[in-house]
Amino acid sequence: MAGGLPCGPHKLKGVNGTWLTCARDGRLCVHSYAADAGAVVCRVERAPGGPWTDPRTVGGDQRVHPALALARSAERYTHLVTWRPTTPGESGLVHSTHFQPHLSALDWTPIGHPNKKGDRTGDPAVAVDAQGRAHVFVRNLGGGVSMRAQLEKGGWGPWRDLKGKGVRGRLAAVAGESGLIVLHAATAEGLLRWRQEEAGEPPVLDDKPLPAAVRPDSPHALATSSEEVTLFYVDEDGGLYAWRGDADPVRVLDAAGPGQLTAIRSRLDGVDCTLLAQRAASGRLAFAAYPTQTESAGAWWAESGDPLPADTRIALTEDGQGRVVAGALVPGAPDRMLLTRRNAEPGLALEAWRQVF
């Protein structure tokens, strides 16, 4: 990628949905659903760059469904949300907080159902505001989105119907650098966006959707400036777009393949950059980078590693030294994870992949 472009100061923010994170002490941590246990489990490095612990169950002994949403607070606390079975044919959402990955997480706390009762309505999303309050979003039975948020003095506020209709696929929620939350969702007609106008208030739906033929599981949101959140998505023609503010979406490049998209911000050679990752059509993992909010600079994919199965999940984060880390989690019994870090060469040059568990 090109270097030497001007950029402003940047502080890495927690990214909604990333299952690979870095703890305060520099150790990497993974939260994932373990099908054989019917539970969310956590693994953590015993020391930065060292071997990993065995999986530990998160949230107590309750069995949960395979739908996990995660978000980090500014203090690097991880908030987790998933569904659990309640009575036959019905489920409810539960929430836990993991303050430090080498310690036990809080037990799952029930937060209910957007329609009071019923089965799962869609995969949840979660974002954490500047006050450390988790905001949980999920599609409701009417096809819109409902939200429930933690209260400043503890407990949870009521379920709120945020409106919208025809929502499908992945919800993309993130807190901007201001701490205000932005939510995106795809429909058959385009993209819906909700923006929080004041801390503690429910996000408000834009007057009009953005017309776009969006692959429903492709949206990924990232805070890219002090005021703006950028949504990345792939359209049905295979173009990867960036959309923020009131501007029109910008085509960044062609999607690498059908895999789920992820993104972070990091400094590469002194430049504030946005890094994109996706499983390519070849099965290998593909990476691209460009100066943040400067899509006109251009970006291109570079593939890395061996081909991996279609259900492989990928994540990007930074380690305790500020180096980009990429993880590939291959579901199985047990799961296996491959890891790579950025090396000392210029640009986005990665070390050889290695299996860490």
Side-chain angles (χ1 to χ4, degrees), residues 32-35 41 43 313 329-337 355 357:
S32 62
Y33 178 80
V41 297
R43 290 178 184 257
R313 298 193 295 275
L329 189 67
V330 183
D335 294 346
R336 62 188 178 97
M337 191 179 82
Q355 184 170 331
F357 58 75

Side-chain angles (χ1 to χ4, degrees), residues 206-220:
D206 285 356
D207 291 336
K208 295 181 180 180
L210 175 76
V214 179
R215 291 183 187 174
D217 287 322
S218 67
H220 182 91

